[in-house]
């Protein structure tokens, strides 16, 4: 329950890379991890969100040092943290009584000079090549370089019609990233057909 008595509800969830922790994004903007065996909160991921988190995901493999946690929400930005809280001696000593807080490593968003910089994000996908794709309410899919925080591509229209011809619905950000990484294969297939 938030300070003003408003009930905060889970709005998105994912497991960490090892499947040991459940990461939950909440309707009022907080992101927390839990040991899903006993329900104990294991970490709070600090951000400046004031509205709901709509997607959380973990990147990387088996808890390696470069693994990251991402969240996006109705504030039109992506927050990024190390996926695991630092486990130094001080944190290990306090673990039994205090939930660790991990500060946001990077906040990614469009520059405010763009007219569309406040359009809400509704979904997110990650690709091992260092890209995060965010799907927006207006139909755009934005591809971000997670190492630099820069926008790589702003996509809408054309490519979606070419690879979603069967009318099965919209593509997920993961499918868009797969298309871009394997673009030549798709173009060859379309040329043969």
């Amino acid at each position: 329950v938030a300070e003003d008595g408003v009930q905060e509800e889970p709005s998105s969830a994912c497991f960490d890379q090892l499947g040991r922790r459940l990461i939950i994004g909440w309707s009022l903007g907080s992101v927390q991890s839990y040991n899903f065996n006993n329900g104990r909160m294991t970490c709070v991921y600090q951000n400046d969100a004031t509205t709901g988190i709509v997607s959380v995901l973990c990147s990387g493999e088996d808890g390696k040092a470069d693994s990251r946690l991402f969240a996006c929400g109705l504030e039109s930005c992506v927050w990024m943290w190390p996926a695991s809280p630092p486990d130094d001696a001080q944190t290990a000593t306090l673990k039994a009584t205090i939930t660790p807080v991990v500060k946001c490593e990077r906040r990614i968003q469009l520059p405010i000079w763009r007219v569309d910089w406040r359009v809400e994000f509704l979904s997110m996908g990650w690709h091992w090549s260092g890209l995060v794709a965010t799907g927006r309410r207006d139909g755009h899919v934005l591809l971000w370089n997670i190492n630099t925080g820069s926008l790589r591509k702003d996509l809408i229209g054309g490519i979606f019609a070419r690879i979603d011809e069967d009318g099965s619905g919209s593509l997920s950000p993961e499918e868009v990233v797969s298309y871009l990484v394997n673009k030549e294969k798709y173009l060859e297939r379309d040329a043969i057909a």
Side-chain angles (χ1 to χ4, degrees):
V1 177
E3 292 176 17
D4 59 2
V6 175
Q7 182 69 32
E8 188 168 32
E9 300 172 346
S11 54
S12 61
C14 72
F15 289 102
D16 70 353
Q17 305 86 335
L18 298 174
R20 295 183 310 193
R21 293 178 298 137
L22 180 63
I23 314 292
I24 300 178
W26 295 87
S27 60
L28 296 178
S30 61
V31 178
Q32 301 161 347
S33 66
Y34 294 86
N35 177 330
F36 63 90
N37 289 318
N38 61 20
R40 182 175 167 263
M41 185 188 310
T42 58
C43 190
V44 173
Y45 294 92
Q46 191 175 50
N47 65 48
D48 59 354
T50 57
T51 61
I53 300 295
V54 296
S55 186
V56 291
L57 61 89
C58 286
S59 71
E61 296 179 21
D62 298 333
K64 290 184 178 175
D66 63 346
S67 61
R68 296 285 180 263
L69 170 68
F70 298 94
C72 74
L74 300 176
E75 301 204 13
S76 308
C77 62
V78 175
W79 294 275
M80 183 172 85
W81 303 268
S84 299
D87 199 14
D88 58 18
Q90 182 181 8
T91 303
T93 305
L94 298 174
K95 242 181 199 175
T97 57
I98 298 174
T99 302
V101 175
V102 176
K103 291 185 179 180
C104 183
E105 191 174 80
R106 174 172 282 145
R107 184 179 195 270
I108 303 169
Q109 73 177 54
L110 289 172
I112 59 173
W113 54 263
R114 282 185 55 145
V115 174
D116 62 347
W117 75 280
R118 293 297 291 172
V119 177
E120 300 166 337
F121 292 163
L122 299 178
S123 62
M124 178 173 51
W126 172 80
H127 191 268
W128 61 266
S129 65
L131 295 177
V132 167
T134 53
R136 294 191 331 184
R137 183 174 299 280
D138 63 358
H140 287 253
V141 174
L142 305 176
L143 295 178
W144 304 92
N145 179 322
I146 61 172
N147 297 317
T148 64
S150 62
L151 180 66
R152 295 277 306 268
K153 297 233 187 250
D154 182 349
L155 306 166
I156 189 168
I159 69 161
F160 303 110
R162 290 172 67 180
I163 60 176
D164 195 23
E165 295 171 21
D166 62 355
S168 62
S170 61
L171 296 175
S172 70
E174 292 89 349
E175 292 170 305
V176 173
V177 171
S178 173
Y179 171 79
L180 293 171
V181 170
N182 301 300
K183 191 178 194 177
E184 291 77 26
K185 292 178 190 174
Y186 284 102
L187 293 175
E188 286 174 19
R189 183 195 70 190
D190 291 346
I192 293 170

